[in-house]
Amino acid sequence: MRISSRNTFSLRVSIAAVHYALLAMAIVPAVHAAEPVDPAVADLVQRKNTVELGVGKLSDRSYKAAEYSGIGDRGPFVIGNFDIRGGGAYGSDDASRFRITGTNLGTEERGLYGEYSREGRTKIYFGYDELMRYRSDSYQTPLLGAGTNMLTLPGNWIMPLVPRVSGSAANARGLSPAVTGSSALVSGVLTAPTVPQAATAAAMRLADLPSFRNVDLHTKRTKYDVGMVYEIDRQWEVSASFRHEDKKGLKPMGTVTRASGGDISTIIPDLIDQQTEQINAGVRYRSGKVSVQGSYYGSLFSNSVSGMTWSNWALPASSQTISGPPPNQFHQFNLTGTYAFTPTTRMVASGSYARNTQDQTYLSTSYTPLVPVRSLNALVETKTMNLKVTSRPLKELNLGAAYKFDERENQTPVHTYGFYDAGEPTSGTSVFSGYYPGMTLNSSLNLNANRPYSKRTNQFDLDADYQFTPGQSLKAAYEGQNINRYCAGSWIDCADAKRTTENTFKLEWRASGWDTLSARVGVTHASRKVDYNEDAWLALVPAANLSPTGAPGGSTAYGTMLAKGYTGYGPVSGLNPLPTAGSAAAFFFANNNALSNTLYANANRISELPGMRRYNMADRLRDKVRGSVEWQANDQLTLQGGVDVNRDNYANSVYGLKKAEGVAVNLDASFAVNESATLTGFYVHEEQRSQSAGNTYTANSTATSVNGFTAISGGCYSTIALRNASNKVDTCLNWGANMIDKVDTFGLAATQKGLIGGKLDLAGSVAVSLGRTTNSVSGGNYVNNPLAVTGAPSGTVAAFYVPATALPVVTTNTTDLKLAAKYSLSKASAVRLGYRYQHMTSSDWSYAGLQAGGLSGVLPTNEKAPNYSVHTVVLSYLYTF
């Protein structure tokens, strides 16, 4: 940055004034104690206390607009801020200092802070602050008891259904008169609701809809701090601090139950009442070239809500319970040492050891028939070591080398647990019942083992920074990282990526001091290689290594997979050639399909598609380019710009995330109209793109028709028989998604000081943000023709292939206008006036599913996409002394 001669002169005068002021304050008490101090000098060295009191008014209630402001409701609110400082005066022998501040005292974002110190000896401080997050003011629920952990339906609640479709099956879409009043296909015939069906639906809505009422969802964090630092002498220092944090409120939590035979979801107001205690203690020793510091950190988490219980809207006589986050403790010991070999060469070494424990008693019901221990008895040990050496062998050259070891070892014992998924009704007999004599185990039972994930990381870093000409330098760096993941006690490897190796190379050029111009450009290239394991899911299901009832020759699913070279997906094949009848392959992979859920005792399919890669554990090439430039065109105008481009390529992933790209461009301008007026402006463009792929797995089948009809319209096969014989290899079941997020933000700001004889200062700013998300998709799926019923005309199409359609565009547009004025009544007092206008319009298709009539298995919450226009006016009095 170039500084004009006028600014240089002013800077020198200011520096000289500070030096003069400090010198004057030092000698005045001793020589001329009673002599008055020059007012200009006093302004530079004397402390100033400020107090601000006022009132504001919010025009409209909007939780989104006020999300973190601490002002959640319309109407007046108090403005309260203060900053009080005291202690020994500058130049006196009294080295004590104190400061007490209060901010936003009239809102639920208030904070208090105070400290007392004696220079070079001790410091004592305390703090208090609140942070309110307003989550939603449009959420609705019929459940009674919000704010407690027991939620019940009203006594007159009637299970929602759509009578013309089914007179007994729960259907939340029945809460919409548009749904219950419309015609539907019944046995291939478009049928209007009958009078009794319409009456049933009306009675249901009359009973249920008035029960929906607003429940505000918000969380509030309250934090208390106290601490001290004490310097025993020039070598020894001790410190300690304590923090207590409370978090209370309500948040939305999605729940699922299968108690009524199907997936039924309720978004409940989850009660939050949590406490966290954090303790820090440390001691530091310094002497010459050596510095050593030891410390302890402890975190104790407790939860006053053991769990949530709620009534099932689809089966009002039943209720479900889910446990809350369990209490846990974390204790860590740290040691850091620094040694200066020479004035230009230094080594820093650090290490830590930590234990994280959790021993909450399990929540057990009749749906958990196999719980071998009372609690998880969890223990995780973490060990870290860091070593870094930096050196400056030449004036123009800086070198650095570092090594990092980080091991998170989960020592939690491994056990197998038996449970029924989300309270699902029991039926049949498990093919693994013989391994648990005396217990009644049904076919819907899950036999799952916990997986104590552990990770060991070794990382090496090298960097060099060389200034090859005055104002120009080049920095090169290398990072090598190796990660090993494992589960101690699991019967088989549990990690999707047992071994990960990543090498990163960085290069950056910097230029500064070029009269009016400075710039930098950096590039990064990283390559990650992963030993991916498509069978890691087996660690969750130890029954895959047991022989189920009926398996030929005592064979197991895992043994058959090894013998045939299969994953859980089985052969990538259609019906032909079929596995040999009576063989283990025919038993476990019937019709060449994926391994059946019942044959590894898990209600949900968790085996992976061949070529599926989780993006955080997949081979990846990552490239980044970053650049920035600053130009001070003259004494008044400064321009800045920057660009950031990121590209990730997952070339070896057949399914999952394939590519991810990001671009960010920013432009800033600042113009000094004169010494008292400035104009600034900025523009930011951000764009994120991602490409992902998947497959709609459909099992091979020997079925040849739909109610006697065989033709398919569209897709990859012309008949039901051909399609069903090739479902597993049908390329028309592959799909892709391209998501693009774009946000353009621009703003202007202006300040004007010293109007009306130097008494009035004005400021204003406006920022506009335009966001847009698109998601185009490819692929599709087959759907049976609802008109292909018995008695339909000859030649009726049996099924249609329906191509995927792009999702609706999601938009979010915001405007934020701020105006402020400060008028000085005197040197010590002023009045402030402020105005803010916040406006948002948004459109998000995902909210459609939360409305009545949106989804059949989800109770609506009637939440709306955020849209608001809010005005805020504030007036305050500021006193300085």
Side-chain angles (χ1 to χ4, degrees):
M1 178 181 292
R2 187 177 68 182
I3 301 176
S4 68
S5 59
R6 180 180 61 190
N7 291 338
T8 303
F9 175 75
S10 300
L11 179 63
R12 289 173 179 170
V13 170
S14 299
I15 294 174
V18 172
H19 281 287
Y20 172 76
L22 295 175
L23 178 62
M25 294 301 291
I27 64 176
V28 164
V31 182
H32 303 290
E35 189 173 318
V37 180
D38 187 324
V41 175
D43 281 343
L44 292 171
V45 298
Q46 289 182 352
R47 301 185 186 90
K48 293 182 179 179
N49 302 314
T50 59
V51 176
E52 183 179 16
L53 291 173
V55 65
K57 185 176 181 181
L58 193 67
S59 66
D60 294 283
R61 170 190 172 100
S62 170
Y63 267 26
K64 186 62 179 179
E67 189 168 7
Y68 291 106
S69 71
I71 309 168
D73 211 346
R74 63 179 300 177
F77 59 90
V78 174
I79 297 171
N81 302 284
F82 66 84
D83 186 348
I84 307 297
R85 312 183 188 200
Y90 286 99
S92 71
D93 294 331
D94 186 355
S96 64
R97 304 283 189 273
F98 74 84
R99 183 180 184 183
I100 304 175
T101 62
T103 56
N104 300 319
L105 298 180
T107 73
E108 293 193 271
E109 197 187 11
R110 59 183 61 88
L112 287 170
Y113 176 79
E115 69 174 44
Y116 170 83
S117 64
R118 294 189 64 84
E119 188 176 356
R121 295 296 293 177
T122 187
K123 177 181 177 180
I124 301 172
Y125 62 90
F126 71 88
Y128 169 85
D129 71 66
E130 300 175 4
L131 179 62
M132 174 72 82
R133 191 220 171 168
Y134 297 105
R135 167 60 178 79
S136 175
D137 54 1
S138 63
Y139 167 87
Q140 293 186 340
T141 181
L143 292 167
L144 304 173
T148 73
N149 66 341
M150 183 66 68
L151 306 173
T152 59
L153 289 166
N156 64 338
W157 179 263
I158 298 175
M159 180 185 71
L161 47 80
V162 180
R164 75 186 182 322
V165 175
S166 172
S168 59
N171 190 333
R173 300 185 72 227
L175 293 170
S176 167
V179 173
T180 58
S182 63
S183 300
L185 285 172
V186 180
S187 299
V189 179
L190 192 63
T191 304
T194 64
V195 172
Q197 289 172 344
T200 298
M204 175 204 57
R205 292 195 304 274
L206 183 64
D208 293 350
L209 290 179
S211 299
F212 284 82
R213 66 197 182 285
N214 278 85
V215 174
D216 291 338
L217 303 178
H218 53 76
T219 54
K220 184 176 182 179
R221 188 204 67 189
T222 307
K223 184 175 65 178
Y224 308 83
D225 287 282
V226 63
M228 58 81 64
V229 179
Y230 180 66
E231 188 174 296
I232 300 172
D233 54 33
R234 295 179 63 86
Q235 295 179 317
W236 291 93
E237 179 183 280
V238 295
S239 61
S241 66
F242 173 78
R243 171 179 292 179
H244 174 83
E245 185 175 304
D246 288 312
K247 188 175 182 181
K248 299 179 184 293
L250 297 172
K251 68 175 179 64
M253 181 170 70
T255 66
V256 175
T257 176
R258 295 184 60 85
S260 57
D263 289 325
I264 297 297
S265 178
T266 309
I267 301 173
I268 66 172
D270 182 30
L271 178 63
I272 301 173
D273 189 356
Q274 302 168 357
Q275 303 79 40
T276 303
E277 319 283 351
Q278 297 181 70
I279 305 165
N280 283 281
V283 58
R284 184 172 67 179
Y285 172 79
R286 292 172 293 184
S287 178
K289 299 180 178 181
V290 178
S291 174
V292 180
Q293 181 172 339
S295 64
Y296 161 79
Y297 169 75
S299 175
L300 292 82
F301 172 80
S302 59
N303 188 1
S304 299
V305 182
S306 59
M308 294 292 298
T309 299
W310 67 99
S311 297
N312 184 354
W313 62 267
L315 196 64
S318 70
S319 63
Q320 285 70 49
T321 299
I322 187 172
S323 61
N328 60 80
Q329 297 187 15
F330 179 82
H331 302 275
Q332 184 179 55
F333 300 89
N334 309 285
L335 184 64
T336 301
T338 302
Y339 181 76
F341 295 99
T342 69
T344 60
T345 302
R346 177 183 295 262
M347 179 181 71
V348 179
S350 64
S352 69
Y353 171 78
R355 288 171 60 90
N356 193 183
T357 58
Q358 188 266 103
D359 195 29
Q360 176 77 359
T361 301
Y362 286 131
L363 177 65
S364 298
T365 69
S366 60
Y367 294 103
T368 54
L370 180 60
V371 183
V373 289
R374 61 170 291 275
S375 69
L376 186 62
N377 192 25
L379 170 62
V380 177
E381 290 189 350
T382 304
K383 310 176 191 72
T384 65
M385 183 180 73
N386 296 276
L387 181 65
K388 184 173 184 178
V389 178
T390 57
S391 181
R392 190 176 185 182
L394 301 174
K395 181 180 179 181
E396 301 85 4
L397 180 63
N398 289 293
L399 299 175
Y403 167 71
K404 177 182 179 180
F405 171 81
D406 189 342
E407 182 179 53
R408 179 186 184 275
E409 187 176 10
N410 194 331
Q411 300 181 16
T412 304
V414 176
H415 296 284
T416 299
Y417 302 86
F419 62 95
Y420 296 100
D421 198 12
E424 185 172 14
T426 59
S427 62
T429 301
S430 171
V431 292
F432 298 103
S433 293
Y435 292 93
Y436 301 92
M439 298 181 64
T440 301
L441 303 180
N442 299 104
S443 57
S444 55
L445 179 74
N446 296 277
L447 289 173
N448 288 178
N450 60 300
R451 292 169 288 181
Y453 285 108
S454 297
K455 183 176 74 169
R456 183 183 299 114
T457 302
N458 287 277
Q459 182 170 318
F460 301 87
D461 300 336
L462 298 171
D463 65 81
D465 195 333
Y466 181 67
Q467 182 177 333
F468 54 91
T469 66
Q472 291 192 70
S473 61
L474 193 65
K475 182 177 181 179
Y478 164 76
E479 297 175 1
Q481 185 184 76
N482 293 285
I483 299 177
N484 290 279
R485 301 177 178 90
Y486 57 96
C487 294
S490 287
W491 74 276
I492 198 170
D493 287 343
C494 69
D496 295 305
K498 184 177 181 179
R499 288 178 293 274
T500 299
T501 301
E502 186 162 9
N503 295 294
T504 303
F505 300 90
K506 299 179 180 179
L507 191 65
E508 183 181 61
W509 170 79
R510 300 187 302 274
S512 60
W514 284 2
D515 192 18
T516 64
L517 190 67
S518 62
R520 66 170 56 197
V521 176
V523 296
T524 300
H525 174 74
S527 175
R528 184 174 69 190
K529 294 295 184 181
V530 174
D531 182 14
Y532 199 86
N533 178 12
E534 292 176 342
D535 290 331
W537 60 276
L538 289 168
L540 177 69
V541 285
N545 201 33
L546 302 177
S547 181
T549 301
S555 56
T556 67
Y558 178 59
T560 305
M561 289 166 59
L562 286 180
K564 304 294 290 186
Y566 294 162
T567 67
Y569 186 74
V572 183
S573 170
L575 280 172
N576 294 310
L578 286 169
T580 303
S583 67
F587 179 82
F588 289 105
F589 299 97
N591 290 339
N592 286 329
N593 285 317
L595 182 65
S596 170
N597 294 17
T598 58
L599 298 180
Y600 57 86
N602 200 77
N604 300 299
R605 182 172 303 284
I606 57 175
S607 57
E608 292 189 356
L609 293 167
M612 171 67 192
R613 300 289 184 266
R614 288 174 170 80
Y615 75 93
N616 62 327
M617 296 184 185
D619 292 345
R620 181 190 67 194
L621 292 176
R622 168 169 287 179
D623 294 289
K624 297 182 179 182
V625 178
R626 296 179 179 179
S628 64
V629 62
E630 179 179 347
W631 178 43
Q632 186 163 340
N634 52 47
D635 293 343
Q636 295 175 292
L637 178 63
T638 301
L639 300 174
Q640 293 178 322
V643 62
D644 191 338
V645 179
N646 302 294
R647 176 173 293 178
D648 292 347
N649 189 355
Y650 302 85
N652 295 330
S653 296
V654 178
Y655 300 115
L657 183 62
K658 300 277 291 177
K659 289 183 179 179
E661 300 175 348
V663 176
V665 179
N666 66 279
L667 299 171
D668 296 87
S670 177
F671 181 70
V673 180
N674 52 47
E675 292 185 348
S676 58
T678 61
L679 290 173
T680 60
F682 72 89
Y683 168 73
V684 179
H685 172 77
E686 298 173 282
E687 186 170 325
Q688 298 290 330
R689 295 173 176 264
S690 65
Q691 297 180 18
S692 56
N695 176 271
T696 305
Y697 168 73
T698 302
N700 296 326
S701 168
T702 57
T704 59
S705 70
V706 176
N707 295 323
F709 300 98
T710 62
I712 296 179
S713 175
C716 292
Y717 299 94
S718 60
T719 67
I720 295 294
L722 290 173
R723 183 201 65 180
N724 287 350
S726 307
N727 270 332
K728 206 176 181 190
V729 293
D730 188 348
T731 57
C732 284
L733 295 179
N734 288 326
W735 57 263
N738 296 313
M739 181 179 289
I740 303 175
D741 284 317
K742 290 183 181 180
V743 180
D744 291 282
T745 306
F746 53 91
L748 294 171
T751 61
Q752 173 67 63
K753 298 182 179 180
L755 297 175
I756 312 180
K759 292 184 177 182
L760 179 63
D761 296 341
L762 299 176
S765 67
V766 60
V768 177
S769 178
L770 307 175
R772 178 183 176 92
T773 299
T774 60
N775 195 350
S776 59
V777 293
S778 60
N781 206 347
Y782 298 92
V783 60
N784 287 346
N785 183 2
L787 300 179
V789 297
T790 303
S794 175
T796 298
V797 173
F800 296 94
Y801 179 79
V802 181
T805 304
L807 293 171
V809 177
V810 176
T811 60
T812 304
N813 302 324
T814 62
T815 301
D816 194 347
L817 172 67
K818 297 178 183 178
L819 300 174
K822 176 185 175 183
Y823 183 79
S824 298
L825 301 173
S826 66
K827 186 176 181 180
S829 61
V831 175
R832 288 184 178 178
L833 177 64
Y835 168 77
R836 184 179 186 185
Y837 171 68
Q838 297 168 273
H839 177 73
M840 171 186 274
T841 59
S842 67
S843 174
D844 189 340
W845 56 267
S846 64
Y847 283 88
L850 301 178
Q851 311 308 308
L855 298 170
S856 61
V858 181
L859 190 68
T861 65
N862 300 320
E863 283 190 272
K864 305 294 192 300
N867 288 276
Y868 58 78
S869 291
V870 176
H871 304 267
T872 307
V873 179
V874 297
L875 178 65
S876 65
Y877 173 75
L878 182 67
Y879 183 66
T880 304
F881 59 97

